[in-house]
């Protein structure tokens, strides 16, 4: 039998996007700390600017170190290409503004990261883009919310902080019936746990700041194009299917085919909005991605064990983790997250907000900060911090309760994590 | 872009981002099996913006052209002749990749007075196709796209490090393949597999020819390409290092530079 031979996931995490350079032989990806690139001659310069040739012009638009990271994430997700951005938020913004302008409409899951919620409900409307939030488990409501002007359906693989599992195949089908692409924020799962393109998603975004990098030392984001959405047939994405005066009439779908969206995102989005990643941060993030599989496996087993420990603890009144049979999406998680449910979980503590305060302030191994996906364990109270600016109604819609604490479980020894939780829970009840 | 009706079906051509005119030198880029005009995007634009009138057709049944895929290299050759008639092209330069290079050889042999130069990329005098692949393609098994994507790219390209920033070359090639209508890849591979006139048409080519060879091409090997060079009276060879069969994507800059030095600097 004949077999295609492609590098597998763990090999891609270490190698995709880079070959040791002939001139130096550098095994590690070099940090190309440069703003611009010397042209061979005037014709070379003109042709690079006019996209007649492949290559780098300016590090706002592309950079060799960042390009390695872009290829690597594309390979891990199974996409056609990617654009890295200054942050996860910038990646989301870039994806949206590449697909639509004023008058555009998005149907999004109501189980969202706090900042994404602000962008959708408060900021984008100022620019004429409106968003309808829908409970992602209510598929009829998603269908109903799609209008003529809808240009995107959006959700997070795992909701924040309720860990709702986004049913990617079902929602993709609804979106595609309406000729609309599905974009998925895969930050909490990473491609190690979930590959949205294989389930029907068309675009993936990440905050690379989190599990992808895994070290909590650099902010970054990425927009990945699955290359499967048919912009031409959908007939409602003029940025991709009509001549663009910003590049002398370039028609991205005609010239770049499956990579139309990502090429436009770079050519226009990075050129004009300019939220590029820095080469140094790309280098840091690459170091993290090299160990993605081994880290995620450990993150996930630690988190599962902690969820099971907390579930039995008398001071805990609820544990929200899709790896527990008590979670409403437990069955879906078993199908969609076969290698585990990630390392973020939420818990409710008996005794209200005062008990929560004492619990958080008495943790020693867990760090109290606003992030997830660090190799070190983290804790936060979403209602008063990350999701603080949301209205009461939005909090309710997102399922965020006052006594809810969010943990991001790290790679420390499990015994130390459990001991830390035990003593802080004891304090919280005194 | 430009469109004509050939054999009662719409024939689509990309034009490198700007329309050409009859005063300009003409160049036509012909894609290979299961591909379409998009595979030339990193070469065709340069010519269009440097004074050439560029046509990058989608062969029937491919990309944006209507109709059923043509069954033989000879039929494709005749279709290109009709395209030249429809577009009012008297003489042209022809560039072809893989199956497209076989088409170029036929056009250069049969319509010698209309062809002023040819470039053959991933070329050979015969193109036998692995029977396992052929059988998979016949069943429209999507694994056929995976196989072609895997084999067509050199070992180094499997690592990426693409000249086109941020594009994952294997993913992009796979999605391009997946756009094929059912039956098209098989029809193309079968046309390659049953092509027997290679040696005969190569012997009839008189115009200057360049052969661009991927050093690590396992589909049309450098050895086979060398046979073509040896058989051509006017053949020049460019070898691209670290490069498999998909040179237009694997080494887009070197491929373009080879074409420029063949057709522009040489003029
Ligand atoms: C799921 C998710 N997406 C996006 C973001 C935004 O990422 P960044 O901080 O890199 O802008 C966050 C940050 O908390 C997040 O948790």
């Amino acid at each position: 039998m004949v077999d295609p031979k492609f590098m597998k996931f763990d090999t891609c995490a270490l190698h995709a996007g880079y070959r040791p350079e002939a001139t130096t032989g550098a095994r590690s990806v070099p940090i190309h700390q440069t703003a611009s690139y010397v042209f061979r001659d005037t014709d070379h310069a003109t042709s690079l600017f006019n996209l007649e040739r492949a290559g780098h012009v300016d590090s706002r638009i592309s950079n060799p170190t960042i390009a390695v990271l872009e290829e690597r994430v594309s390979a891990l997700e199974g996409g056609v290409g990617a654009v890295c951005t200054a942050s996860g938020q910038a990646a989301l913004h870039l994806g949206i503004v590449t697909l639509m302008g004023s008058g555009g409409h998005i149907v999004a899951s109501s189980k969202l990261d706090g900042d994404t919620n602000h962008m959708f409900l408060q900021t984008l409307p100022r620019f004429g883009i409106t968003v309808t939030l829908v409970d992602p488990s209510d598929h009829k409501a998603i269908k109903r919310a799609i209008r003529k002007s809808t240009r995107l359906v959006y959700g997070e693989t795992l909701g924040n902080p309720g860990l709702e599992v986004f049913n990617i195949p079902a929602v993709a089908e609804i979106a595609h019936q309406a000729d609309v692409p599905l974009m998925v924020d895969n930050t909490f799962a990473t491609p190690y746990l979930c590959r949205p393109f294989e389930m029907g998603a068309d675009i993936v975004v990440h905050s690379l700041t989190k599990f992808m990098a895994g070290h909590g030392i650099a902010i970054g984001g990425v927009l990945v194009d699955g290359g499967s959405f048919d912009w031409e047939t959908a007939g409602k994405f003029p940025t991709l299917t009509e001549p663009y005066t910003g590049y002398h009439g370039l028609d991205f779908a005609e010239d770049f085919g499956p990579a139309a969206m990502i090429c436009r995102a770079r050519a226009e989005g990075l050129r004009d909005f300019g939220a590029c990643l820095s080469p140094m941060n790309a280098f840091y993030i690459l170091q993290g991605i090299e160990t993605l599989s081994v880290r995620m496996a450990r993150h996930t087993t630690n988190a599962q064990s902690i969820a099971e420990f907390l579930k039995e603890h008398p001071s805990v009144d609820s544990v929200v983790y899709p790896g527990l049979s008590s979670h409403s999406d437990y069955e879906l998680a078993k199908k969609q997250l076969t290698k585990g449910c990630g390392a973020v979980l939420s818990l409710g503590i008996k005794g209200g907000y005062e008990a929560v305060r004492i619990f958080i302030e008495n943790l020693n191994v867990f760090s109290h900060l606003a992030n997830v996906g660090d190799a070190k364990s983290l804790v936060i109270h979403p209602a008063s911090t990350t999701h603080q600016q949301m209205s009461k109604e939005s909090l309710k819609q997102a399922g965020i309760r006052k006594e809810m604490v969010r943990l991001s479980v790290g790679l420390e020894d499990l015994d130390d994590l459990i001991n830390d939780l035990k003593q802080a829970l004891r304090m919280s009840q005194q | 872009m430009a469109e004509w009706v050939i054999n009662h079906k719409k024939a689509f051509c990309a034009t490198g981002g700007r329309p050409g005119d009859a005063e300009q030198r003409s160049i036509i880029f012909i894609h290979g099996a299961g591909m379409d005009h998009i595979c030339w995007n990193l070469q065709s634009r340069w010519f269009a913006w440097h004074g050439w009138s560029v046509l990058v057709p989608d062969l029937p049944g491919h990309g944006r052209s209507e109709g059923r895929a043509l069954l033989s290299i000879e039929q494709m050759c005749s279709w290109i002749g009709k395209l030249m008639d429809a577009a009012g092209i008297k003489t042209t330069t022809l560039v072809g990749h893989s199956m497209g290079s076989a088409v170029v050889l036929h056009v250069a042999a049969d319509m010698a007075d209309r062809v002023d130069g040819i470039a053959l990329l991933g070329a050979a005098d015969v193109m036998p196709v692995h029977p396992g692949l052929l059988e998979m393609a016949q069943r429209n098994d999507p694994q056929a796209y995976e196989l072609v994507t895997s084999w067509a790219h050199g070992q180094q390209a499997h690592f990426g490090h693409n000249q086109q920033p941020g594009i994952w070359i294997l993913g992009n090639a796979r999605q391009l393949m997946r756009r094929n209508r059912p039956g098209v890849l098989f029809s193309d591979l079968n046309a390659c597999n049953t092509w027997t006139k290679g040696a005969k048409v190569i012997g009839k080519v008189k115009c200057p020819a360049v052969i661009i060879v991927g050093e690590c091409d396992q589909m049309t090997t450098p050895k086979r390409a060398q046979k073509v060079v040896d058989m051509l009276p006017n053949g020049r060879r460019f070898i691209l290092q670290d490069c498999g069969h998909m040179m237009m994507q694997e080494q887009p800059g070197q491929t373009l530079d080879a074409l420029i030095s063949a057709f522009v600097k040489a003029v």
Side-chain angles (χ1 to χ4, degrees), chain A residues 87-90 113 115-116 154 156 160 185 187-188 206-210 219-221 371-372:
Chain A
S87 69
Q89 288 303 100
D113 176 58
D115 292 337
T116 303
Y154 179 85
E156 297 179 2
N160 177 5
D185 180 332
T187 302
F188 274 33
H206 279 277
S207 167
L208 296 172
T209 316
K210 314 286 186 331
I219 302 278
N371 196 10
V372 296

Side-chain angles (χ1 to χ4, degrees), chain B residues 58-109:
Chain B
D58 285 341
L59 289 170
H62 296 72
R64 298 180 179 199
S65 284
E66 294 174 351
R68 295 186 56 175
L70 301 172
L71 299 175
S72 67
I73 304 295
E74 289 85 341
Q75 284 183 13
M76 296 176 204
C77 163
S78 126
W79 189 87
I80 292 289
K82 288 183 184 172
L83 173 70
M84 288 168 64
D85 294 343
I89 295 168
K90 288 196 194 73
T91 58
T92 189
T93 301
L94 287 170
V95 185
H97 175 243
S98 199
M99 178 183 81
S101 74
V103 179
V104 166
L105 284 169
H106 274 257
V107 180

Side-chain angles (χ1 to χ4, degrees), chain A residues 1-7 11-12 15-21 40-41 43 47 50-56 61-64 67-68 70-72 74-75 78-83 226-232 247-251 253-259 262-263 266, chain B residues 1-2 12-17 37-38 41-47 49-50 64 130 132-133 135-136 139 143 145-147 149-151 155-176 179 242 250-254 256-257 260 265:
Chain A
M1 198 49 217
V2 282
D3 254 341
K5 298 262 182 311
F6 296 111
M7 289 194 293
T11 313
C12 284
H15 292 280
Y18 182 66
R19 314 173 205 170
E21 296 183 341
R40 289 194 326 224
D41 53 37
D43 181 64
S47 354
N50 196 32
L51 305 184
E52 295 160 31
R53 280 184 175 277
H56 304 287
I61 297 169
S62 67
N63 167 283
V68 174
E70 289 164 339
E71 285 187 55
R72 191 158 302 178
S74 303
V80 299
V83 169
S228 54
F229 193 79
D230 188 344
W231 309 106
E232 201 66 34
Y247 268 100
H248 302 296
L250 180 68
D251 176 330
E254 185 182 308
D255 262 32
F256 295 106
I262 207 66
C263 288
R266 183 183 304 282
Chain B
M1 57 102 157
F12 170 90
C13 292
T15 56
H37 69 275
I38 286 160
N41 63 4
L42 296 172
Q43 288 81 33
S44 57
R45 265 179 85 76
W46 188 93
F47 281 88
W49 292 84
H50 284 77
R64 298 180 179 199
H130 190 291
L133 169 59
E135 195 241 325
M136 256 184 216
R139 282 189 276 121
Q143 274 295 97
Y145 301 143
E146 300 293 313
L147 263 190
T149 306
S150 160
W151 290 348
Q155 270 310 305
Q156 291 301 313
H158 277 248
F159 286 89
H161 210 187
N162 190 354
Q163 280 172 26
Q164 193 182 9
I167 297 295
W168 175 241
I169 196 169
L170 297 175
N172 201 31
R174 174 184 290 126
Q175 287 301 343
L176 196 56
R179 294 172 152 215
D242 281 349
E250 290 186 51
Q251 296 289 355
Q254 287 185 43
L256 175 58
D257 288 340
I260 293 171
K265 300 254 168 79

